[in-house]
Amino acid sequence: MKNFLIAGLFFLAGIPSVKAQQVVAKTNARVLNEFMDQRFGMFIHWGPVTLRGTEIGWSRNHQVAQNDYDSLYKEFNPHFFNADEWVKTARDAGMKYLTITAKHHDGFCLWPTKFTSYNIMNSPYKKDVVGALANACKKYNIKFCIYYTVLDWYDQRYPVHNNGKPSDPNPDMPKFVQYMKDQLKELVDNYHPYMLWFDGNWEKPWTLEYGKEIYRFLKALNPNLIVNNRLGKGQHDQLGAETVGDYATPEQKIGKLNMDIPWESCITLCQQWAWKPNDQMKSLKQCIQTLASTAGGNGNLLFNVGPMPDGRMEYRQVKRLREIGDWLHKYGESIYNTKGGLYTPDSILAATRKDNKVFIHLFRRESVVLKLPVITGIKVTKAYFLKGAQLHSQQSEKYISITLPDILPDINDAVIVLEMDKNTEAGPVVSR
Ligand code: JFZ
């Protein structure tokens, strides 16, 4: 009897379904590794608010009065919108996936949803923006992803409203969560997104339990659907007990090197998420070094563009993205499908690795000789600039010394390949 009881206990503990109600199963590692191999995606923040050039969601009741903001869709008519052009811009930038704000904090929906009239079909434009992008992404082999915010400052069922406005008198979270499920099912069924990017999880009405509920709901629709970590609570740049989702999302900063958990930094090309006239744009140097440092920390970069109210992306931004694409066309081997390390990224360099190659992304030439700490048991067999000249390297007990030319072959990021006598992909990471 005693043995039977003990066996029974072990048996129960081993059954996944007993725990499955509480524990949320994560997307499987193969799917997540494939996602992380892509390294570079396009984030798009867009909606009627671009008519004012203020920040999406946040400017409601701030720079733009609420009634005014909520009426902008009545004049939203982006007649130059061309999904193929946006997706080709992403492809030409070397981006492998694209994430569109189907619904941001202002509650407006860029697709013809059955569940609210506050959507694109009631604007003069009357065309499905999300659908057009999903199709174009399929055509150009770009993975299609959807941003969907949890908080909704427009919907009466969601209790909280931005910027000190009183809460709705009759909030109804259960009904609001059902609305979310209806919309999410609609998005998943109609557009087959590769990933869902949640946001707006920090306000009080949203709970960890709701997050788990939605995650389970989505996994039942498609077990391979990737979900970011802003569906639970907790810090965006972490994956902890409070968070729900598959990967961490540091915002407007490059994530710290982390070989254990997947992460994606979201960073804007200009300053604002949504389009702003004459917004300050990052230099090509900043763009490339941001991407290299992200890859060097073993993360992805979701780089944001805010298209204009007429449906076009700004010419200067498209041009900047193409310049990044040109760089990647040449040096992409050192970014895609690599792992971060062997060295922790710093202001001078970032490193990535693949098989027996280590790529040193050199941002600046500080002296004639670049000194890197030796990794015990590993020897450099060959050193050269990627797509370029051979380099003289020497290895002592402590240092690998590489003699640099007076002028580096790329002023933004000169990629040095160190061929090693071993595969270093799974090895340790060293700080300089
Ligand atoms: C969020 C959004 O609010 C923002 O508009 C954008 O979509 C970005 C990608 O994600 O960013 C945040 C998140 C949290 C705070 C501010 C901006 N916050 O807690 O103040």
Side-chain angles (χ1 to χ4, degrees):
M1 182 67 187
K2 196 176 158 204
N3 280 348
F4 179 74
L5 263 180
I6 291 171
L9 280 176
F10 275 108
F11 180 64
L12 273 179
I15 295 179
S17 62
V18 171
K19 280 187 156 183
Q21 294 310 309
Q22 290 89 46
V23 176
V24 179
K26 296 268 160 130
T27 303
N28 83 51
R30 181 189 53 80
V31 173
L32 290 177
N33 286 334
E34 198 185 276
F35 167 55
M36 293 310 294
D37 279 345
Q38 299 172 48
R39 283 294 182 244
F40 195 28
M42 177 181 274
F43 212 173
I44 302 176
H45 277 69
W46 199 49
V49 69
T50 52
L51 288 161
R52 293 301 161 88
T54 56
E55 188 59 295
I56 191 164
W58 296 96
S59 63
R60 183 176 182 268
N61 286 328
H62 253 163
Q63 295 87 343
V64 184
Q66 181 174 309
N67 288 339
D68 196 5
Y69 192 112
D70 295 350
S71 303
L72 288 170
Y73 75 102
K74 294 178 189 163
E75 44 172 315
F76 188 52
N77 195 4
H79 45 272
F80 287 132
F81 170 67
N82 181 331
D84 280 38
E85 287 306 317
W86 286 13
V87 174
K88 279 196 278 181
T89 297
R91 181 200 60 185
D92 294 346
M95 292 157 161
K96 305 293 184 190
Y97 59 103
L98 179 150
T99 308
I100 176 74
T101 50
K103 188 179 88 157
H104 204 267
H105 309 335
D106 61 22
F108 185 74
C109 301
L110 286 177
W111 80 102
T113 174
K114 284 199 208 103
F115 303 101
T116 175
S117 58
Y118 194 44
N119 79 65
I120 193 77
M121 297 318 266
N122 293 310
S123 74
Y125 188 61
K126 291 191 179 20
K127 279 183 228 157
D128 181 1
V129 169
V130 175
L133 285 168
N135 290 335
C137 280
K138 209 168 179 187
K139 190 164 155 190
Y140 296 102
N141 197 25
I142 297 287
K143 298 234 160 49
F144 180 66
C145 314
I146 294 176
Y147 169 108
Y148 184 95
T149 181
V150 166
L151 70 79
D152 187 328
W153 290 325
Y154 180 87
D155 196 286
Q156 307 280 301
R157 290 162 294 194
Y158 183 81
V160 176
H161 292 277
N162 53 333
N163 304 323
K165 284 274 164 166
S167 299
D168 269 317
N170 300 306
D172 191 334
M173 271 309 271
K175 274 210 177 118
F176 180 73
V177 173
Q178 186 55 49
Y179 167 62
M180 279 182 69
K181 284 184 176 172
D182 290 339
Q183 288 205 318
L184 290 168
K185 181 162 167 31
E186 186 177 49
L187 288 168
V188 171
D189 287 350
N190 294 344
Y191 307 117
H192 311 289
Y194 175 68
M195 178 253 281
L196 287 181
W197 212 102
F198 285 96
D199 196 14
N201 57 335
W202 54 83
E203 287 188 335
K204 211 157 178 202
W206 191 250
T207 63
L208 182 56
E209 282 318 307
Y210 282 137
K212 289 181 180 174
E213 187 180 331
I214 296 288
Y215 192 88
R216 272 195 294 269
F217 175 78
L218 292 170
K219 289 282 130 181
L221 296 176
N222 174 10
N224 285 339
L225 183 70
I226 301 167
V227 177
N228 76 337
N229 72 339
R230 300 195 181 185
L231 191 51
K233 304 296 280 186
Q235 295 292 317
H236 292 157
D237 56 4
Q238 285 166 28
L239 279 189
E242 286 270 281
T243 57
V244 174
D246 302 321
Y247 68 92
T249 53
E251 178 174 326
Q252 291 292 38
K253 62 178 184 212
I254 299 165
K256 282 208 185 80
L257 180 133
N258 193 320
M259 303 307 296
D260 303 320
I261 66 157
W263 60 270
E264 175 204 63
S265 274
C266 53
I267 295 178
T268 48
L269 170 54
C270 293
Q271 302 289 301
Q272 204 169 259
W273 293 100
W275 179 72
K276 177 179 161 183
N278 204 31
D279 201 359
Q280 195 192 331
M281 184 172 71
K282 291 190 172 64
S283 67
L284 180 60
K285 188 186 274 297
Q286 286 175 304
C287 292
I288 289 174
Q289 295 186 357
T290 299
L291 176 61
S293 299
T294 305
N298 207 35
N300 283 9
L301 177 62
L302 185 61
F303 208 38
N304 182 76
V305 180
M308 295 186 283
D310 68 5
R312 291 174 303 159
M313 286 179 179
E314 266 188 6
Y315 178 69
R316 64 179 179 138
Q317 296 189 36
V318 171
K319 205 168 141 227
R320 176 69 79 245
L321 292 168
R322 204 178 301 137
E323 290 164 349
I324 302 170
D326 290 344
W327 185 90
L328 276 165
H329 191 72
K330 204 165 170 193
Y331 302 115
E333 187 194 341
S334 66
I335 300 286
Y336 305 117
N337 301 299
T338 62
K339 295 269 178 290
L342 290 176
Y343 300 101
T344 321
D346 56 40
S347 63
I348 308 298
L349 62 83
T352 54
R353 48 186 158 158
K354 175 84 189 163
D355 302 327
N356 71 328
K357 285 179 183 162
V358 175
F359 301 99
I360 305 294
H361 296 261
L362 190 58
F363 303 148
R364 238 182 306 147
R365 183 188 185 278
E366 285 206 309
S367 53
V368 185
V369 176
L370 173 68
K371 274 172 103 180
L372 298 167
V374 161
I375 317 283
T376 323
I378 298 174
K379 273 207 185 93
V380 178
T381 56
K382 209 172 158 189
Y384 52 93
F385 283 116
L386 184 56
K387 303 270 165 86
Q390 201 78 23
L391 285 162
H392 180 258
S393 81
Q394 219 180 316
Q395 189 163 335
S396 70
E397 204 179 304
K398 274 195 164 160
Y399 292 105
I400 301 165
S401 303
I402 304 156
T403 311
L404 299 172
D406 291 346
I407 294 167
L408 297 176
D410 191 288
I411 54 164
N412 301 309
D413 175 354
V415 185
I416 295 170
V417 185
L418 300 179
E419 286 191 6
M420 307 301 212
D421 63 352
K422 287 187 189 70
N423 182 331
T424 69
E425 262 191 56
V429 177
V430 176
S431 281
R432 295 200 305 135

